[in-house]
Amino acid sequence: MLQIIQNEETIQFKLSSEIKIVNNVIQNVRSYLKQYAIEDDNRLIITLRELLNNAIEHGNKKNKELNVVVNIERISDMRFKMIVEDEGEGFDYQDIQLSMPDDPNQIRNRGLSLANAFSDQLEFNHKGNRITAYITVRPETCFNVTNDGNRKIIKPTGDITAET
């Protein structure tokens, strides 16, 4: 089961706890981001995927009768607020380790570490079954070119890297 509600600034999903639905949610979020000229922001997508997987697997214990609700809201030009809530019992988030594991090949127990690494800020509700992530996306690099007599002035904007 997947329900989607979208308006100008937010998109909300209610989904049953089935991992196979996660890719559908991701595709819809990518379409939602395109309305803000964001072609792809891996930080937001990776964070969403990890939080969804955790909610389904650990929060709801893959019980298809339990739902996960996701709300993504644009709160400023390039900043988004993402809330993921499951119907599970919650967990004690105060003692969790949010740093990346020493072994980069570790496949398990890294979801919250990745979400923390790619987010500006993470917040948990008291019960520990809802997490809020704030993420600022990086706009693509653009070059504004103007002519000033015999010279051209190039002003780069957005995410400027050495490669660009």
Side-chain angles (χ1 to χ4, degrees):
M1 181 270 302
L2 175 62
Q3 297 174 347
I4 305 168
I5 300 170
Q6 184 174 352
N7 61 36
E8 286 184 29
E9 299 295 321
T10 63
I11 188 166
Q12 183 179 60
F13 303 90
K14 183 176 182 180
L15 59 141
S16 55
S17 294
E18 300 175 78
I19 292 292
K20 66 182 182 181
I21 299 175
V22 172
N23 283 336
N24 196 343
V25 172
I26 297 296
Q27 289 305 105
N28 280 282
V29 169
R30 284 188 166 132
S31 295
Y32 166 74
L33 293 173
K34 284 183 182 179
Q35 73 180 327
Y36 304 113
I38 300 168
E39 287 301 317
D40 192 20
D41 187 276
N42 289 328
R43 295 173 51 220
L44 191 143
I45 297 301
I46 290 170
T47 300
L48 175 60
R49 185 179 301 278
E50 293 300 330
L51 294 180
L52 277 171
N53 288 343
N54 277 355
I56 291 169
E57 187 174 337
H58 302 294
N60 289 345
K61 312 261 189 259
K62 296 183 182 177
N63 181 344
K64 295 177 185 178
E65 302 300 314
L66 299 178
N67 296 311
V68 176
V69 176
V70 178
N71 189 59
I72 300 174
E73 175 185 5
R74 181 177 179 224
I75 57 176
S76 67
D77 189 34
M78 289 291 169
R79 188 170 164 104
F80 293 83
K81 176 181 177 181
M82 178 189 317
I83 301 170
V84 178
E85 183 172 0
D86 61 61
E87 295 181 326
E89 297 176 9
F91 74 105
D92 184 6
Y93 57 88
Q94 295 180 17
D95 293 329
I96 62 170
Q97 181 60 261
L98 290 176
S99 60
M100 291 300 291
D102 291 335
D103 180 5
N105 296 315
Q106 180 178 329
I107 295 174
R108 308 286 303 160
N109 300 320
R110 62 183 186 147
L112 288 177
S113 299
L114 284 170
N116 184 55
F118 291 126
S119 301
D120 303 334
Q121 177 182 350
L122 291 179
E123 298 173 350
F124 297 88
N125 69 340
H126 180 70
K127 183 178 176 182
N129 71 327
R130 183 179 66 225
I131 187 168
T132 303
Y134 295 88
I135 300 170
T136 304
V137 298
R138 296 183 181 117
E140 295 297 317
T141 303
C142 298
F143 296 97
N144 297 321
V145 180
T146 58
N147 289 316
D148 182 23
N150 293 333
R151 61 185 179 157
K152 288 187 179 187
I153 300 171
I154 302 171
K155 294 182 182 178
T157 63
D159 185 24
I160 302 169
T161 62
E163 178 183 295
T164 306

